[in-house]
Amino acid sequence: MSKISRSFVFLMLLATTCSVYAVDSYRYAHVTIETPWAIFIFLLLIILFPFVLMAILYWYFAVKKSEIKDAEHE
């Protein structure tokens, strides 16, 4: 086989294998009206978690700092 025909055969095999992996993604995913809401709530929790954690840590260390100041004044 010449080099050009080998390349042609390789490209044809590559083209057929790519089409084999193209599976209809909606065949296995059952998307209902609840799916976008679940994704929205999940992402909302991911976005808001650092702010909630920051507020809790700020409150914790503010209370701790005030207790230390009160103990120093006594």
Side-chain angles (χ1 to χ4, degrees):
M1 274 179 118
S2 69
K3 196 172 201 175
I4 295 174
S5 63
R6 283 184 188 172
S7 300
F8 180 72
V9 169
F10 176 72
L11 288 175
M12 292 305 291
L13 288 174
L14 185 64
T16 57
T17 56
C18 291
S19 64
V20 169
Y21 295 121
V23 178
D24 184 17
S25 61
Y26 293 107
R27 180 181 298 172
Y28 303 106
H30 301 287
V31 179
T32 63
I33 192 65
E34 296 176 2
T35 305
W37 280 107
I39 294 170
F40 173 74
I41 300 232
F42 176 71
L43 292 176
L44 185 69
L45 291 175
I46 289 174
I47 296 297
L48 292 180
F49 178 74
F51 295 107
V52 172
L53 180 64
M54 183 172 52
I56 291 170
L57 289 175
Y58 177 79
W59 172 76
Y60 173 76
F61 285 110
V63 169
K64 194 173 188 180
K65 192 174 188 180
S66 67
E67 287 175 355
I68 292 173
K69 282 186 181 179
D70 289 343
E72 287 176 356
H73 289 294
E74 290 180 357

